[in-house]
Amino acid sequence: MGICTAPLDFLPHHAFSLFSSNGSSSSRSMVASGHGGSLFLSPKTVRRACVCSTSSADTLTTSSRTGGGNSRVLGSKEGEIDLKSWMHSQGLPPCKVLLREKPSHDEKHRPIHYVAASEDLQAGDVAFSIPNSLIVTLERVLGNEHIAELLTTNKLSELACLALYLMYEKKQGKKSFWYPFIRELDRQRGRGQLAVESPLLWSESELAYLTGSPTRAEVLERAEGIKREYDELDTVWFMAGSLFQQYPYDIPTEAFPFEIFKQAFVAVQSCVVHLQNVSLARRFALVPLGPPLLAYKSNCKAMLTAVENAVQLVVDRAYKAGEAIVVWCGPQPNSRLLLNYGFVDEDNPYDRLFIKASLNTDDPQYQDKRMIAQRNGKLTVQAFHVYAGREREAVTDMLPYMRLGYVSDPSEMHSVISSQGPICPVSPCMERAVLDQLAGYFKDRLAGYPTTSSEDEARLSESNVDPKRRVATQLIRLEKRMLNACLQAVDELIEQLPDQTTSPCPAPYAPLLK
């Protein structure tokens, strides 16, 4: 594929490719396991909407408060058995972890719990092994793997089914087998290691912290998806009637207002574990002692793993007694970590931005360009990933696609179609036009943030910043770093042009960037 609009003596030194970048750059596709968020209502909300529970919310969340900043080991209070003791009474074998607590950022909220090493551990040690009898999966909930698969290939996700199950179980109060686990999820309120809830539960004014970030739109889109799932909840009731006969309550949409379901859905999202090498009905599991009690870390290798009749955790590093234990959260960008778990990882090697480029459908040569794009493994609407630390590679990967969109002369188009070589020389004016469009795009995205990078740094240096604002600012700061690095890469490419004063070629059907 190739076009040539420059003298031949220019080509050997300044040849640009339509679908082969200068150097090797392959676009890598990562599948993000997007499971994260928060559980049942806060005590105040439960009391206000008493339809959701037949028992006292205070009873469901009874636990001691601690002041100060020191974490402490948990113990039972007023006859309430703590989660780990309950698990041991139900078959959990001896393990090498304990539950500790640390105060919440908000004094109105109780401390959050976390799993810590009960003794010194070495890499390869089994921290705990939880029997399947203490793990909630769709196979366990519905009692029928075929129903589970049918439901989740229709209009409902595993998360919606698991959330509905726990909501009905919560109505049972202390009669529920899962009462200690539900009480713990209630206490956590979907808060992860930073004690911050998913943005799905933020107010409109709090969502404004994400202005300029595509994450804000993702939050709104996910919220709409949860509403659609809520509208389909009665399907579970009618398809799995034998299960829900044990609950003397109304059908789901009559028993639970949407806001209550949303709270439960987000909480389940924050703690569900994606198990590997198991049946579809067991792949999403709620594991006591799992997240959010376990902290997530992007550069960790330890995972909760399904073994025979149990789920176990083998640690990937040494721990001192009392240290919080971390597990891998999958190859998720920070936007997904915030959306799912309420935190941002500054050292996330999987952090990335998305750029959507599309060929102009008004272009008379659109069909030819579409064919050429497909021939080279691209789509007419192509998503490009910008990975942190590899921004120049991302820009280089975009250039061939962008150049194709700039071809306008029919004879040049014929040359591109018939070309067999991987390198396609283009004129300096076309290359300048492509780079100018990319530079303008990155500048526009940066201008969409209401704060400057220096203002972000100043805010993060403050000690009393609202936790939600802090984590949103962390995300925005990292996004700006990637965008600025992309802009710098484009500027460097412009400087390498043979004549930087060259006026850009006209582009009547330039590709569209979002």
Side-chain angles (χ1 to χ4, degrees), residues 450-470:
T451 58
T452 64
S453 295
S454 59
E455 289 172 336
D456 295 337
E457 296 293 345
R459 176 167 288 131
L460 292 174
S461 66
E462 299 173 6
S463 59
N464 59 346
V465 178
D466 173 78
K468 294 176 182 176
R469 180 135 205 173
R470 177 180 294 278

Side-chain angles (χ1 to χ4, degrees), residues 267-342:
V268 168
Q269 184 180 252
S270 73
C271 59
V272 74
V273 175
H274 194 176
L275 297 176
Q276 305 294 317
N277 302 318
V278 297
S279 66
L280 290 177
R282 292 182 56 210
R283 62 179 177 175
F284 289 106
L286 302 179
V287 183
L289 298 184
L293 300 177
L294 282 173
Y296 276 137
K297 192 68 178 172
S298 297
N299 58 11
C300 180
K301 300 298 182 183
M303 297 174 61
L304 288 167
T305 306
V307 294
E308 186 177 2
N309 300 319
V311 171
Q312 72 175 17
L313 174 64
V314 177
V315 297
D316 69 329
R317 62 194 66 188
Y319 290 93
K320 295 292 185 183
E323 286 187 324
I325 293 179
V326 297
V327 293
W328 188 46
C329 51
Q332 301 185 62
N334 279 322
S335 58
R336 195 65 61 83
L337 296 181
L338 178 59
L339 180 60
N340 292 341
Y341 316 114

Side-chain angles (χ1 to χ4, degrees), residues 325-374:
I325 293 179
V326 297
V327 293
W328 188 46
C329 51
Q332 301 185 62
N334 279 322
S335 58
R336 195 65 61 83
L337 296 181
L338 178 59
L339 180 60
N340 292 341
Y341 316 114
F343 82 101
V344 168
D345 189 346
E346 297 275 356
D347 301 317
N348 186 356
Y350 306 102
D351 199 17
R352 61 187 182 271
L353 293 174
F354 294 92
I355 300 174
K356 185 164 68 175
S358 57
L359 298 176
N360 194 323
T361 55
D362 294 332
D363 189 340
Q365 301 180 101
Y366 171 76
Q367 292 300 335
D368 286 337
K369 292 181 180 181
R370 177 183 181 184
M371 176 191 68
I372 294 167
Q374 292 176 342

Side-chain angles (χ1 to χ4, degrees), residues 77-391:
K77 183 180 175 82
E78 299 178 357
E80 293 285 6
I81 185 172
D82 67 77
L83 177 66
K84 186 166 176 287
S85 299
W86 169 73
M87 293 177 67
H88 282 302
S89 71
Q90 297 297 327
L92 176 70
C95 56
K96 300 176 181 180
V97 301
L98 49 79
L99 286 180
R100 300 179 70 92
E101 68 178 27
K102 58 183 177 182
S104 171
H105 298 292
D106 190 335
E107 292 183 356
K108 295 182 296 185
H109 297 157
R110 301 158 74 201
I112 64 170
H113 294 164
Y114 65 94
V115 171
S118 60
E119 59 187 75
D120 291 351
L121 299 178
Q122 300 299 320
D125 286 351
V126 177
F128 56 70
S129 183
I130 301 176
N132 287 342
S133 60
L134 291 174
I135 295 170
V136 186
T137 62
L138 281 191
E139 185 177 48
R140 172 89 181 263
V141 168
L142 300 177
N144 186 308
E145 182 175 345
H146 298 295
I147 291 180
E149 293 183 13
L150 181 61
L151 280 171
T152 55
T153 54
N154 189 15
K155 296 181 180 179
L156 285 167
S157 69
E158 290 91 340
L159 301 186
C161 296
L162 292 172
L164 179 61
Y165 174 70
L166 290 188
M167 290 166 74
Y168 275 117
E169 282 294 314
K170 181 177 179 178
K171 277 179 172 280
Q172 302 283 77
K174 292 186 177 181
K175 295 180 182 178
S176 170
F177 172 79
W178 300 109
Y179 169 74
F181 183 36
I182 292 173
R183 187 181 68 223
E184 184 63 42
L185 294 178
D186 262 352
R187 178 194 182 102
Q188 296 294 106
R189 302 176 69 250
R191 297 171 295 165
Q193 54 228 63
L194 298 181
V196 176
E197 297 169 329
S198 162
L200 287 164
L201 300 178
W202 293 9
S203 67
E204 188 174 337
S205 61
E206 290 167 339
L207 279 179
Y209 300 155
L210 294 170
T211 299
S213 171
T215 304
R216 188 175 186 276
E218 291 178 29
V219 171
L220 298 176
E221 183 180 355
R222 179 79 67 87
E224 291 176 359
I226 296 174
K227 180 61 168 66
R228 288 193 296 270
E229 296 224 52
Y230 173 77
D231 293 337
E232 296 291 337
L233 274 185
D234 295 348
T235 305
V236 186
W237 179 279
F238 294 121
M239 292 185 67
S242 59
L243 167 70
F244 293 108
Q245 284 177 2
Q246 64 182 293
Y247 303 112
Y249 308 113
D250 293 332
I251 60 175
T253 55
E254 295 180 10
F256 307 106
F258 170 65
E259 286 303 320
I260 293 175
F261 171 73
K262 179 181 178 182
Q263 185 87 28
F265 183 99
V266 174
V268 168
Q269 184 180 252
S270 73
C271 59
V272 74
V273 175
H274 194 176
L275 297 176
Q276 305 294 317
N277 302 318
V278 297
S279 66
L280 290 177
R282 292 182 56 210
R283 62 179 177 175
F284 289 106
L286 302 179
V287 183
L289 298 184
L293 300 177
L294 282 173
Y296 276 137
K297 192 68 178 172
S298 297
N299 58 11
C300 180
K301 300 298 182 183
M303 297 174 61
L304 288 167
T305 306
V307 294
E308 186 177 2
N309 300 319
V311 171
Q312 72 175 17
L313 174 64
V314 177
V315 297
D316 69 329
R317 62 194 66 188
Y319 290 93
K320 295 292 185 183
E323 286 187 324
I325 293 179
V326 297
V327 293
W328 188 46
C329 51
Q332 301 185 62
N334 279 322
S335 58
R336 195 65 61 83
L337 296 181
L338 178 59
L339 180 60
N340 292 341
Y341 316 114
F343 82 101
V344 168
D345 189 346
E346 297 275 356
D347 301 317
N348 186 356
Y350 306 102
D351 199 17
R352 61 187 182 271
L353 293 174
F354 294 92
I355 300 174
K356 185 164 68 175
S358 57
L359 298 176
N360 194 323
T361 55
D362 294 332
D363 189 340
Q365 301 180 101
Y366 171 76
Q367 292 300 335
D368 286 337
K369 292 181 180 181
R370 177 183 181 184
M371 176 191 68
I372 294 167
Q374 292 176 342
R375 190 172 70 189
N376 290 276
K378 304 295 183 185
L379 303 173
T380 53
V381 179
Q382 178 67 41
F384 291 93
H385 295 172
V386 179
Y387 287 92
R390 304 210 304 273
E391 293 85 359

